[in-house]
Amino acid sequence: MLRLALMGDLHYFGEENVELQQAKERFYERYLLQFLELEADLHISLGDLTHMGLAEEFESMYRLIRRSGKPFRHVLGNHDAYELPKAEVESLIAQPLNDVLETPEALLIFLDSTREMRPDDWSGYLTGKQLEWLQAHLQVSPEKPVMVFAHHPVYGTTTMSNDEKMHIDPSIDIRSILRSRAGGGFYFNGHNHIHSIVREEGWHFIQTAASLCHPSFRIVEIDGSEVRSSVVTAADPEILESARILFDKLPRYHRAPNAQGEAADRDQCFPLAAAPRI
């Protein structure tokens, strides 16, 4: 069995905001360490790990991540790409921005859906070269379930993905690329700060809430016959209270109401036998 731990938008900020400093100190390290302590073969950030994409923000977060020794993957979010060229971000995180990992249980594809240094446009974007790369890798190991991890949702899928700039640009035909994979697959994203699960033509679109909107983590288990998705909610009173303060007062933050979604947006089981296989 393969077990993955997913974290939604964290929005760690580095600037010295006196009003928020105490809440910052009580929340981020405690929350990130709780995430990294979850039992998992791989820990994945779905983007916006940082709030402004500053080098000091990346360095603070990755200092804790590397100290933990846990396998960690990070798909960039729009906030991660605001201030630095992507080549510099890639060097800071020491990971390719687009990458593939194949395990005995599944094919995992990590996709960068961000615009470079465009704080005025937080919608998602993919180049033609990326689409060709994605299509080629979607044809690999068709007998295994495929999982795509990106920050932005596909337009018209999960909650709020129809809203302005809350999706990959709909003029980019990622749907036809995804449909080229026989049997469908699983697409995981953040960005919209609300838990949501939608099925469309063999693909399951699974959106994970932001940490300040709903302090929680998503666990995904693949065991050969099914994929299980469940949400673990943080119970630490320090985490919950400091998250509430940061949710109310953090500048340039998308405050999503009802971020917990419905029960079916958090916990579901997907039998793999239900999808056509090669």
Side-chain angles (χ1 to χ4, degrees):
M1 182 179 77
L2 181 68
R3 183 178 169 95
L4 309 174
L6 275 57
M7 177 174 63
D9 305 33
L10 185 63
H11 285 268
Y12 175 80
F13 61 96
E15 63 268 21
E16 293 305 314
N17 184 315
V18 175
E19 182 182 16
L20 298 182
Q21 188 64 26
Q22 185 177 10
K24 172 187 171 181
E25 291 173 356
R26 292 169 57 201
F27 178 76
Y28 285 106
E29 181 171 349
R30 184 177 279 107
Y31 184 85
L32 180 60
L33 291 178
Q34 184 172 327
F35 171 65
L36 293 170
E37 287 168 0
L38 292 170
E39 181 184 351
D41 299 293
L42 184 62
H43 292 75
I44 301 171
S45 164
L46 292 168
D48 285 358
L49 182 70
T50 69
H51 192 50
M52 291 306 299
L54 298 170
E56 65 182 83
E57 295 174 347
F58 284 110
E59 288 164 356
S60 293
M61 289 292 92
Y62 270 87
R63 191 176 302 115
L64 293 173
I65 291 164
R66 289 167 181 146
R67 190 183 302 159
S68 77
K70 299 296 180 69
F72 181 84
R73 290 287 179 129
H74 175 193
V75 292
L76 292 193
N78 51 292
H79 281 256
D80 296 321
Y82 278 167
E83 291 292 329
L84 301 173
K86 286 189 180 181
E88 188 170 341
V89 175
E90 190 171 46
S91 177
L92 281 169
I93 69 175
Q95 297 173 27
L97 300 187
N98 299 282
D99 200 14
V100 177
L101 174 64
E102 185 168 3
T103 76
E105 300 86 359
L107 180 69
L108 311 180
I109 298 177
F110 304 94
L111 185 64
D112 172 26
S113 63
T114 63
R115 300 176 187 269
E116 187 170 40
M117 301 176 73
R118 286 288 305 275
D120 60 320
D121 189 349
W122 51 91
S123 64
Y125 183 79
L126 300 168
T127 66
K129 186 176 180 179
Q130 280 181 292
L131 292 175
E132 291 175 4
W133 176 90
L134 176 61
Q135 183 157 28
H137 285 288
L138 283 171
Q139 310 316 313
V140 173
S141 300
E143 76 284 359
K144 295 180 181 180
V146 64
M147 299 187 166
V148 178
F149 302 89
H151 181 65
H152 294 84
V154 175
Y155 179 80
T157 55
T158 51
T159 300
M160 294 185 67
S161 64
N162 288 11
D163 293 0
E164 184 181 7
K165 300 180 184 177
M166 303 302 281
H167 46 253
I168 292 174
D169 186 332
S171 69
I172 298 168
D173 189 14
I174 188 174
R175 266 188 174 83
S176 68
I177 304 297
L178 296 176
R179 289 171 183 163
S180 71
R181 173 81 175 194
F186 298 84
Y187 182 101
F188 296 90
N189 67 270
H191 191 55
N192 291 0
H193 291 197
I194 300 175
H195 288 304
S196 177
I197 299 178
V198 172
R199 178 177 174 132
E200 179 186 287
E201 297 188 16
W203 276 84
H204 300 276
F205 296 91
I206 303 174
Q207 182 169 283
T208 295
S211 59
L212 299 181
C213 294
H214 188 250
S216 57
F217 314 104
R218 189 178 293 277
I219 301 297
V220 178
E221 296 175 317
I222 308 103
D223 71 0
S225 63
E226 63 184 13
V227 173
R228 296 182 294 273
S229 172
S230 59
V231 167
V232 178
T233 303
D236 184 337
E238 291 268 353
I239 286 177
L240 298 177
E241 175 58 19
S242 53
R244 184 191 63 78
I245 295 169
L246 294 168
F247 174 88
D248 288 341
K249 297 182 178 181
L250 183 63
R252 300 187 66 179
Y253 185 76
H254 170 60
R255 291 163 177 80
N258 304 314
Q260 72 274 15
E262 303 295 330
D265 294 316
R266 299 188 297 274
D267 303 336
Q268 278 201 44
C269 179
F270 313 98
L272 291 173
R277 307 292 294 277
I278 291 179

